[in-house]
Amino acid sequence: MTKYGSFPGTRPRRLRTTPVMRRMVAETRLHPADFILPAFVREGVSEPVPIAAMPGVVQHTRDSLKKAALEAVEAGISGIMLFGVPEDAKKDAVGTPGTDPDGILQLALRDVRAEVGDELLVMSDLCLDETTDHGHCGVLDAEGRVDNDATLERYAEMAQVQADAGAHVVGPSGMMDGQIGVVRDALDQIGREDVAILAYTAKYSSAFYGPFREAVASSLKGDRKTYQQDPANVRESLRELALDLEEGADMVMVKPAGPYLDVLARVADAVDVPVAAYQISGEYSMIEAAAEKGWIDRDKAILETLTGIRRAGAQNILTYWATEVALKLRQGPAAAQ
């Protein structure tokens, strides 16, 4: 055989010959501890409500949420990120349910923390979009624009009530300028220096949020382009990253995950704090829909996307498949393939 460079002596295919060989040389591995489960809890329902756009995901009752948290513990995942869905009649212009100690999110935090203690990181979404009658992530000014600084005052209150309700971690997700510093100060003022902040550092204005609107019964009219990031930009994310770290973020996140793997890789290379990525509703729904049509292998597609997110630099992944995948990983390589 004619020699071409190092071939035929060098044959990379030797390291792909069997499943055991491929597993041994794998550069990226998934582990149950990588995962965080996003979960929705809805006020005023007596049984879980299926989310039509997200097959297999529900709006939980308080009781079913506690069961889901216990299942997450048994699967070995690291955390559960809670989103509260109040009754429409309770929503108002300033998102009062978000700071009401008896608001649905605060009640759910207490429920889950009482159920799992410290066996699971209990995390809370810190944003006003689920609780405002206009659906935006902040307070509006007289001209209908999101008022950054007025919103920060609400975020400070939210941080304190969520910490009091038992959150180990708060996740400011509204993309307001200065939000991390304000939340950190608010927590420290009530002696909750132990509560960590997972900063939604690079949260893009994405078309892939569509199914999430149903999940949280969003009242949004219009869009969030004046505060969420432009999908065209990368340097902007690095600027946001520097600001979040300066203000006291303990962990940082890129959202969505799949369409922004390049951003995720840049962020992961730039920091020495844990990096998370959120595999959002649209990413989930596309795979479930294509699998339902028989167009793709569902389980393999799920693992491939999660591996890609991990390979790009995410230490932790928020995914609606968290518990399912973690259980398969614990069953061994064959179950996870």
Side-chain angles (χ1 to χ4, degrees), residues 87-107:
E87 294 176 336
D88 285 344
K90 295 184 179 179
K91 296 180 181 181
D92 59 23
V94 296
T96 296
T99 50
D100 180 355
D102 293 321
I104 184 59
L105 179 55
Q106 286 69 253
L107 293 175

Side-chain angles (χ1 to χ4, degrees), residues 137-157:
C137 297
V139 178
L140 303 185
D141 64 17
E143 297 182 21
R145 301 169 302 187
V146 175
D147 186 325
N148 190 95
D149 295 3
T151 299
L152 294 181
E153 295 179 15
R154 299 290 293 136
Y155 285 4
E157 295 178 59

Side-chain angles (χ1 to χ4, degrees), residues 1-10:
M1 178 176 290
T2 304
K3 183 174 174 121
Y4 298 98
S6 59
F7 178 83
T10 300

Side-chain angles (χ1 to χ4, degrees), residues 5-298:
S6 59
F7 178 83
T10 300
R11 295 178 182 265
R13 287 183 55 189
R14 293 187 187 117
L15 300 182
R16 305 171 196 152
T17 52
T18 68
V20 174
M21 175 67 81
R22 293 191 294 273
R23 188 169 75 242
M24 185 184 75
V25 302
E27 299 172 29
T28 305
R29 302 180 193 277
L30 296 173
H31 187 278
D34 298 339
F35 300 124
I36 297 165
L37 175 69
F40 309 101
V41 57
R42 179 171 171 179
E43 187 173 25
V45 295
S46 58
E47 58 185 26
V49 179
I51 300 169
M54 300 176 68
V57 180
V58 301
Q59 294 171 326
H60 284 286
T61 66
R62 290 172 63 185
D63 285 339
S64 69
L65 178 65
K66 290 188 287 185
K67 181 181 178 182
L70 286 173
E71 291 172 350
V73 171
E74 293 167 1
I77 72 174
S78 291
I80 185 167
M81 175 68 80
L82 302 185
F83 297 83
V85 184
E87 294 176 336
D88 285 344
K90 295 184 179 179
K91 296 180 181 181
D92 59 23
V94 296
T96 296
T99 50
D100 180 355
D102 293 321
I104 184 59
L105 179 55
Q106 286 69 253
L107 293 175
L109 286 167
R110 291 189 181 91
D111 289 342
V112 174
R113 187 66 188 272
E115 195 75 19
V116 302
D118 293 333
E119 294 187 82
L120 185 70
L121 286 175
V122 181
M123 305 177 170
S124 56
D125 179 61
L126 200 164
C127 195
L128 288 170
D129 59 325
E130 295 100 4
T131 60
T132 53
D133 54 13
H134 48 73
H136 278 287
C137 297
V139 178
L140 303 185
D141 64 17
E143 297 182 21
R145 301 169 302 187
V146 175
D147 186 325
N148 190 95
D149 295 3
T151 299
L152 294 181
E153 295 179 15
R154 299 290 293 136
Y155 285 4
E157 295 178 59
M158 292 182 74
Q160 291 177 342
V161 298
Q162 290 179 2
D164 286 341
H168 292 101
V169 180
V170 296
S173 62
M175 291 302 290
M176 298 296 117
D177 294 339
Q179 64 183 12
I180 302 304
V182 166
V183 167
R184 183 73 270 160
D185 286 346
L187 293 169
D188 293 351
Q189 284 170 15
I190 61 169
R192 297 310 305 269
E193 296 89 352
D194 58 323
V195 174
I197 298 176
L198 170 58
Y200 284 60
T201 290
K203 183 177 180 181
Y204 283 87
S205 180
S206 172
F208 293 97
Y209 294 133
F212 184 87
R213 306 284 187 252
E214 178 189 349
V216 297
S218 175
S219 305
L220 180 67
K221 302 287 192 297
D223 59 51
R224 297 179 174 136
K225 292 182 179 180
T226 63
Y227 46 101
Q228 293 179 352
Q229 286 184 226
D230 186 335
N233 295 345
V234 177
R235 288 194 301 270
E236 184 179 16
S237 291
L238 299 179
R239 186 183 186 199
E240 294 278 5
L241 175 64
L243 292 168
D244 282 354
L245 294 175
E246 182 182 350
E247 292 174 25
D250 300 290
M251 300 172 277
V252 297
M253 182 159 67
V254 174
K255 180 181 181 181
Y260 297 91
L261 294 181
D262 61 323
V263 179
L264 175 58
R266 292 280 294 272
V267 169
D269 286 344
V271 302
D272 57 4
V273 299
V275 176
Y278 197 147
Q279 186 182 51
I280 67 169
S281 59
E283 298 176 74
Y284 173 93
S285 296
M286 286 193 302
I287 289 176
E288 291 288 353
E292 190 275 331
K293 291 283 190 182
W295 293 340
I296 60 173
D297 183 308
R298 175 186 181 274

